[in-house]
Amino acid sequence: CARSPMQCRPGHNLWQPTVPAANYITRSQSTPIAHTTWLRGGGADGPSSPFSVLRLAEDNLLNAGGAVHRRQYGGLLAEGTSEPPDWTELFEDPTRPLIVDVGCGAGRFVLLAAWLGKVPHIVCGGSTAPVHALAGQPCNALGLEQHAQLVSRANHWASAQGLAGRCAFVAANVKPSLTAVLASYPGPIAVLAIQYPDPHYREDRHVVTPSLVADCAQLLSEGSLLLLASDVHATACHMTQMFTAHARAQFQLHPLHGKQEAVFEHDGRDDIDPYISKLRAGPVQPAVAEAGTAVLEGGERWLMHNPLGLATEREVFAQEITHRSVYRTLLTRTSG
């Protein structure tokens, strides 16, 4: 490979160059920086970052809408919202195809989608292929997040950048309420992404459950895309296995997984963030520990690049700062 070793690492994104250390806040490998510290310091918005087009640092918006305190995860087990939003208040044209980020965190993935303004094409090795008939059409972008402070700040960002009306964030607990939030959307859901959920090792706290899988099958129409991604191998395996086990008739692997140049296999290394490993409550559950087997038919074939060309904060941090692989699965909703 003519690129640097980091750029050739499996799971590296398509937004190229390796980011110079001066543009991000980083530390030596012996003292790794925490993801939250990196975000608070403005690391996600350096000049070589894919988020630089949002001008959040340039326009002094990093803390707009108030300070964001430590996230609390007890709400994962609480009741979610039962009322759908008023789509006419959120979007100028609620009949446009919708891109949804479930558990959007700070929200830069959604902001990027709105900034681009169109349903993305599938990206592979520099070439593109249509997602489906909706590819290239004007779209809306929606972020769902249970942390109200993050939602408030992200909506402030969208308004300040002139993206309101095409981009919105809603406070919602997606585990019990995904269908309640999305079922009334007037237009089609083109892309639904579940990316980098916190890798809880308690089975009752996994974001992707059989009920959430059923919600996704109900909400998505034939041809819609579902993107699963994590930098923790066991979490990526769990999410993919939930869909293959509980919705095999409704979802199939995107043909991109069949292209040798587009995939990689797990190399057996432990990719768990050292800060995350401190948060484990008890031993890893057997179902998670054994998740590396039979994830995908024919073996593990994770997508090497982000097929949508849209990054998340965690993706940049994992690949550019801590140099870990990202495990991606792209599913297509079938007619089943």
Side-chain angles (χ1 to χ4, degrees), residues 20 23 44 53 55 59 110 129 164 196 235 240 282:
N23 292 337
V53 296
R55 300 172 56 191
D59 294 342
V110 178
Y196 310 92
T235 300
T240 302

Side-chain angles (χ1 to χ4, degrees), residues 27 36 40 45 53 62 101 119 254:
R27 299 178 185 173
T36 52
R40 284 197 301 268
D45 300 291
V53 296
L62 291 180
D101 191 15
V119 177
H254 190 276

Side-chain angles (χ1 to χ4, degrees), residues 282-297:
V284 178
Q285 297 292 334
V288 177
E290 298 172 2
T293 60
V295 178
L296 305 174
E297 293 181 1

